[in-house]
Amino acid sequence: MVSALGMTMTLAGCGGDSVSPSDVTLKLVAADYGDSKANSSQKYWDELTKEYESDHPGVKVDVSVYSWTDVDRKVKEMVDAGNAPDMAQIGAYADYAAKGQLYRVDELLSIPVQANFVSQLSDAGQTNNTQYGMPFASSTRLLFYNKTLFSQAGLTPPESWNGLAAAAKVLKSEGVTFPYALPLGPEEAQAETMQWLLSGGGAYTDDVGTYSIDSEQNIKTFTWLKDELVGKGLTGPVAPAKLNRADAFAAFARGEVGMLNGHPSLMQAAAKKGVQFGMVPMPGVNGRAKATMGVADWMMAFKKNGHAEQIGDFLDFVYDDKNVLAFSHHYDLLPVTTSASEAMAADEDDQDLAPFLDQLPASVLYPVGKTSWAGISADIKKQIAKAVTPAGSPTGIFSSLQLTATAADSAS
């Protein structure tokens, strides 16, 4: 995802890391983006490190790939045991940064590579205005709709909430199982929630980064969801609290869903099953939403073993355009750098990803720079679906989440 600028700088402040390249083996722990052994990320890393090592005969890069279910826990166990890897490519960086365990990005990357990250992603990699997290992969969300079901019902893609509800009502009358699939189950409820909050003009935090979960806009959004979609039976036979994202995606690929929020990987799954689908920006209150959700996963480097110079040189190679685009293409993800994004936008073979790419510059990411976010995200997964149940209170649930978030933020 980074251009091949061929520039690696000797960085000031790294004198303590001056180890002979011939003595260095770098340990990287990475997440697996594949869904089978055949397309495991291990294959990507094996090919990439083989190429790197052929040009750097004194440096070895040992990569261990774990599933997303295990990788964050595995890295934590290694760090707690005093055996931190040199690098980790996982879901969050803020806790390690807060403990002073990570290199700053400017201690590692050459200046052109550091400057090439998409600005929203670079900003999200900061804690206390210092970047520790390097974005590794990203995606945005669009509203997917089943073209066949829409055509049969005489519908066009909605641009507003009222249009979405009206379309869902017609789809229900046509016997569609899930007119709008609302996955608020524990797998990824925080994502579906955030997309709806953004479409209602809210977010998890305000413009200065303070938690604003119980804002008027957020409460209004979930009150509308409860009354106009869930309460009217337009979200299908599975209660939102019991519907996970993976199950909603699978139902869409079976042709059972009229509409849902999706990321790029859903395209491939739906196409394999022969589902004709379209994608549009998420509807907002009175027209298309002004912002969409962006998601990024993170690369970080631990100071435990030193090796800043060698780590930086290897990561400059990782973020070369060729390598970034190869990974993005294989897993239907978006590049995290400007030059690779521009290359993807100009490539006719990548036009299926263009709508997602168009959303990235105005996307809003989780507040991952807050050490409190991991706990708050877990609370949202457990609590948020209660807000749309018949007896649920959006005001009560959001107020409770806000109290917890404020306390956690103060403590951190």
Side-chain angles (χ1 to χ4, degrees):
M1 297 174 182
V2 164
S3 58
L5 297 166
M7 298 177 65
T8 303
M9 301 180 65
T10 302
L11 300 165
C14 295
D17 300 312
S18 56
V19 179
S20 170
S22 61
D23 298 330
V24 172
T25 295
L26 300 177
K27 175 67 177 177
L28 166 62
V29 176
D32 194 352
Y33 289 78
D35 56 10
S36 68
K37 187 175 181 180
N39 72 342
S40 169
S41 297
Q42 188 72 57
K43 295 178 69 174
Y44 169 81
W45 287 111
D46 287 348
E47 293 173 3
L48 184 142
T49 55
K50 181 180 180 181
E51 181 180 352
Y52 181 79
E53 290 171 355
S54 69
D55 290 332
H56 300 79
V59 180
K60 291 289 185 182
V61 185
D62 179 16
V63 185
S64 299
V65 172
Y66 297 91
S67 71
W68 275 108
T69 304
D70 299 324
V71 69
D72 287 335
R73 173 183 54 79
K74 185 67 176 179
V75 171
K76 184 178 186 302
E77 290 173 352
M78 294 173 70
V79 173
D80 290 347
N83 298 316
D86 295 285
M87 295 163 284
Q89 187 271 298
I90 53 178
Y93 65 88
D95 283 350
Y96 301 118
K99 295 174 183 175
Q101 296 170 324
L102 300 181
Y103 284 114
R104 302 190 313 269
V105 173
D106 64 6
E107 294 177 291
L108 300 168
L109 300 180
S110 62
I111 291 174
V113 172
Q114 185 182 348
N116 200 24
F117 289 124
V118 174
S119 61
Q120 284 82 354
L121 304 180
S122 181
D123 291 346
Q126 296 182 8
T127 294
N128 296 325
N129 297 316
T130 300
Q131 187 178 357
Y132 295 94
M134 292 161 274
F136 180 74
S138 68
S139 68
T140 56
R141 299 291 194 270
L142 291 169
L143 182 74
F144 281 67
Y145 66 97
N146 185 308
K147 282 187 173 182
T148 302
L149 296 178
F150 265 63
S151 177
Q152 290 172 348
L155 296 170
T156 56
E159 296 187 4
S160 67
W161 285 0
N162 287 340
L164 187 149
K169 184 177 180 180
V170 173
L171 291 168
K172 182 182 179 182
S173 72
E174 294 284 321
V176 175
T177 306
F178 295 90
Y180 177 85
L182 184 68
L184 294 179
E187 180 191 3
E188 206 182 36
Q190 84 286 358
E192 182 72 12
T193 298
M194 183 169 171
Q195 184 62 72
W196 276 99
L197 299 185
L198 291 169
S199 74
Y204 287 130
T205 58
D206 61 21
D207 291 340
V208 295
T210 303
Y211 283 115
S212 57
I213 298 173
D214 65 346
S215 70
E216 181 181 356
Q217 299 102 307
N218 291 348
I219 292 171
K220 282 183 176 180
T221 294
F222 262 68
T223 299
W224 186 89
L225 271 177
K226 176 188 174 183
D227 294 344
E228 301 301 326
L229 284 188
V230 182
K232 293 184 177 179
L234 301 179
T235 54
V238 181
K242 296 184 180 297
L243 184 64
N244 282 321
R245 176 189 57 80
D247 296 328
F249 279 20
F252 187 85
R254 293 194 301 267
E256 298 173 0
V257 175
M259 299 172 282
L260 85 172
N261 281 316
H263 54 62
S265 68
L266 182 55
M267 294 189 300
Q268 194 173 95
K272 283 181 179 178
K273 297 287 188 176
V275 173
Q276 299 295 314
F277 62 89
M279 304 174 297
V280 294
M282 180 66 180
V285 180
N286 296 309
R288 287 181 174 170
K290 296 179 181 178
T292 190
M293 185 181 73
V295 177
D297 302 320
W298 302 96
M299 178 74 76
M300 64 211 70
F302 289 89
K303 296 191 289 187
K304 174 71 175 178
N305 304 318
H307 304 160
E309 183 178 346
Q310 291 79 20
I311 293 170
D313 187 71
F314 173 67
L315 290 177
D316 273 3
F317 177 75
V318 168
Y319 285 106
D320 181 275
D321 270 355
K322 179 187 67 165
N323 298 324
V324 167
L325 287 169
F327 188 86
S328 299
H329 287 145
H330 194 77
Y331 295 108
D332 279 337
L333 292 165
L334 303 182
V336 296
T337 61
T338 300
S339 59
S341 295
E342 290 173 348
M344 179 175 280
D347 191 337
E348 291 184 1
D349 292 335
D350 288 328
Q351 291 312 297
D352 56 342
L353 286 168
F356 296 96
L357 202 59
D358 290 344
Q359 297 283 302
L360 190 59
S363 64
V364 178
L365 280 74
Y366 298 128
V368 290
K370 289 178 171 289
T371 57
S372 58
W373 170 245
I376 301 310
S377 177
D379 286 341
I380 291 168
K381 291 179 182 181
K382 293 175 184 176
Q383 302 294 330
I384 198 66
K386 297 176 185 177
V388 298
T389 60
S393 166
T395 300
I397 294 297
F398 278 77
S399 296
S400 176
L401 288 169
Q402 178 68 33
L403 285 172
T404 303
T406 300
D409 210 27
S410 298
S412 65

